[in-house]
Amino acid sequence: MAVYDWTGQRARRMRLVRTASVAMLLIILMAIPALLLHYNLIQYPH
């Protein structure tokens, strides 16, 4: 019974880690252009 609980907990944790890593990747992909635009605006003010 402990083995089944461990595998269930492990699968749940792996799924959570995979979801978190995908979310982080999306946030980074969205944040990089925003940061570049932000720094470009700071370097070249209109």
Side-chain angles (χ1 to χ4, degrees):
M1 192 145 185
V3 177
Y4 287 117
D5 288 342
W6 183 75
T7 49
Q9 190 179 7
R10 186 171 178 266
R12 200 178 306 124
R13 192 175 298 149
M14 290 296 291
R15 198 184 311 130
L16 189 113
V17 166
R18 197 179 301 128
T19 306
S21 60
V22 170
M24 290 263 300
L25 192 68
L26 286 173
I27 289 170
I28 288 170
L29 285 174
M30 287 187 299
I32 284 172
L35 282 173
L36 288 176
L37 283 172
H38 190 247
Y39 284 122
N40 283 341
L41 285 173
I42 288 174
Q43 287 175 358
Y44 307 108
H46 292 96

